[in-house]
Amino acid sequence: MTKGESCDQDLTEKIEKDIRTDFKNSMTYGEYLNLDELLGAQNRLSAHHDEMLFIVIHQVSELWMKLILHELIAAIKAVEADELDTSFKLLARVSKIQAQIIQAWDVLSTLTPSEYSEFRDSLGNASGFQSFQHRMIEFALGYKTTHILKIYEKNDKLHQTLTHALHAPGLYDAAIHALSRGGLPIDQEVLSRDLTKPYNRHDSVMQAWLDVYMNKDQHWKLYQLAEKLVDIEDAMQQWRFRHMKTVERIIGFKKGTGGSSGVHYLKKVLDHQFFPELWELRTRI
């Protein structure tokens, strides 16, 4: 140890004299976070160096998605209870999380086609297309597809969780009902629609949001809610675009490991809108 290092240690001991070092009978940071389990979950199926990158990026993304769902479900409940101020905080946090998950594609894109091809076969038919949390996020945003449930029949718990989410109101359903409770006329066919089906644009919802934007002082909280929804869809589309370009960069137009058409499928979903009236009104105003 150098003289400088010794001085630094002495200084630390003087300033941080209360730092705890005895954890024989106390919970540690690693125990609280289950780090042994978490950091032991990166099990490569090949000997390729870059498979670690591939696993970590997808696991980190799943952790962020878990937090997105945690916040989205709470936000839906807050909107349903007309606690819009609470929902704003939750939805703002979702947008910040989305920024993190979008940037993950930049790290994965350092994987080259030749590197990925050396361990791609190890994945078998496993694919991000099968991410149940991604499906849960789509369901929470109102994009419901019943045929996708077949993927999860292998796991009864996941299948039941997704089936429950399929029948539950999404964030946009909650927002539309908030419009109605706010005195804006919404057709009954929208308010009582089949929640297991994807939401389709409706004239009464379009007019209600136009009224909100044209009279924002009168409907200030609904106006803020609308902009929070736009933030989330904007980020969702950025995530989809970065996903598509990363896949194209690494495997070109090959089929996905899960059997999807790969880039062709990812380009197609870019055209889907979760909250169509909130985008149309930009042209109408």
Side-chain angles (χ1 to χ4, degrees):
M1 181 181 296
T2 66
K3 183 178 179 180
E5 289 172 332
S6 177
C7 289
D8 288 343
Q9 183 175 336
D10 290 343
L11 183 62
T12 299
E13 289 174 353
K14 288 177 183 177
I15 296 175
E16 304 292 352
K17 62 182 183 299
D18 293 328
I19 287 180
R20 185 159 189 171
T21 57
D22 180 8
F23 287 93
K24 288 188 175 85
N25 299 307
S26 301
M27 180 176 63
T28 65
Y29 170 81
E31 289 168 339
Y32 173 66
L33 295 176
N34 293 313
L35 286 183
D36 284 348
E37 182 179 355
L38 184 64
L39 298 179
Q42 293 73 48
N43 302 309
R44 287 182 290 168
L45 297 180
S46 75
H48 199 283
H49 174 85
D50 290 330
E51 190 181 354
M52 181 64 75
L53 162 69
F54 192 82
I55 292 171
V56 168
I57 286 296
H58 286 84
Q59 288 183 341
V60 168
S61 295
E62 290 291 337
L63 284 172
W64 281 129
M65 282 192 273
K66 182 172 184 176
L67 187 54
I68 286 174
L69 281 168
H70 181 68
E71 305 299 339
L72 278 179
I73 291 168
I76 291 169
K77 291 178 180 176
V79 174
E80 289 176 331
D82 288 323
E83 296 172 356
L84 296 188
D85 286 336
T86 299
S87 77
F88 299 156
K89 174 65 181 293
L90 297 165
L91 295 175
R93 182 176 292 162
V94 170
S95 294
K96 292 294 185 182
I97 300 166
Q98 287 177 298
Q100 297 297 316
I101 206 170
I102 290 167
Q103 299 234 340
W105 294 118
D106 292 339
V107 183
L108 187 58
S109 67
T110 64
L111 183 67
T112 68
S114 57
E115 290 164 347
Y116 182 48
S117 67
E118 291 177 35
F119 67 85
R120 189 181 189 225
D121 288 346
S122 300
L123 276 62
N125 294 125
S127 166
F129 186 83
Q130 298 147 18
S131 168
F132 87 92
Q133 291 198 124
H134 185 243
R135 297 302 169 195
M136 288 282 289
I137 290 171
E138 289 186 333
F139 283 10
L141 296 179
Y143 183 45
K144 308 287 185 72
T145 48
T146 54
H147 72 278
I148 212 73
L149 293 180
K150 190 169 181 61
I151 292 174
Y152 309 97
E153 289 179 349
K154 180 179 180 179
N155 187 315
D156 287 341
K157 185 178 179 180
L158 289 187
H159 192 269
Q160 289 172 14
T161 299
L162 278 157
T163 300
H164 175 76
L166 180 72
H167 290 85
L171 180 60
Y172 202 44
D173 293 301
I176 291 170
H177 279 263
L179 287 172
S180 178
R181 291 192 300 274
L184 294 151
I186 304 292
D187 284 4
Q188 186 59 40
E189 67 178 292
V190 179
L191 297 175
S192 59
R193 77 180 193 87
D194 182 352
L195 296 178
T196 67
K197 302 290 178 62
Y199 174 79
N200 290 314
R201 178 211 175 278
H202 196 277
D203 285 342
S204 67
V205 177
M206 181 73 252
Q207 187 57 53
W209 283 125
L210 276 172
D211 287 348
V212 167
Y213 273 75
M214 298 305 292
N215 301 282
K216 56 182 180 293
D217 291 337
Q218 181 183 349
H219 303 292
W220 181 249
K221 288 191 177 184
L222 290 169
Y223 176 69
Q224 285 183 292
L225 176 61
E227 285 299 292
K228 289 289 187 290
L229 297 183
V230 171
D231 288 342
I232 286 172
E233 175 154 356
D234 191 342
M236 191 72 177
Q237 293 294 62
Q238 289 182 52
W239 184 89
R240 284 172 160 179
F241 179 78
R242 290 298 298 126
H243 184 189
M244 182 269 292
K245 293 307 291 183
T246 302
V247 170
E248 184 177 2
R249 176 172 177 157
I250 296 174
I251 67 167
F253 288 85
K254 295 187 186 77
K255 276 193 172 185
T257 50
S260 75
S261 59
V263 169
H264 292 295
Y265 168 78
L266 296 173
K267 283 186 174 180
K268 183 173 66 176
V269 298
L270 280 171
D271 292 331
H272 171 259
Q273 290 182 327
F274 294 97
F275 318 131
E277 293 88 356
L278 293 178
W279 294 100
E280 182 182 336
L281 68 80
R282 266 100 181 131
T283 304
R284 300 276 294 273
I285 289 176

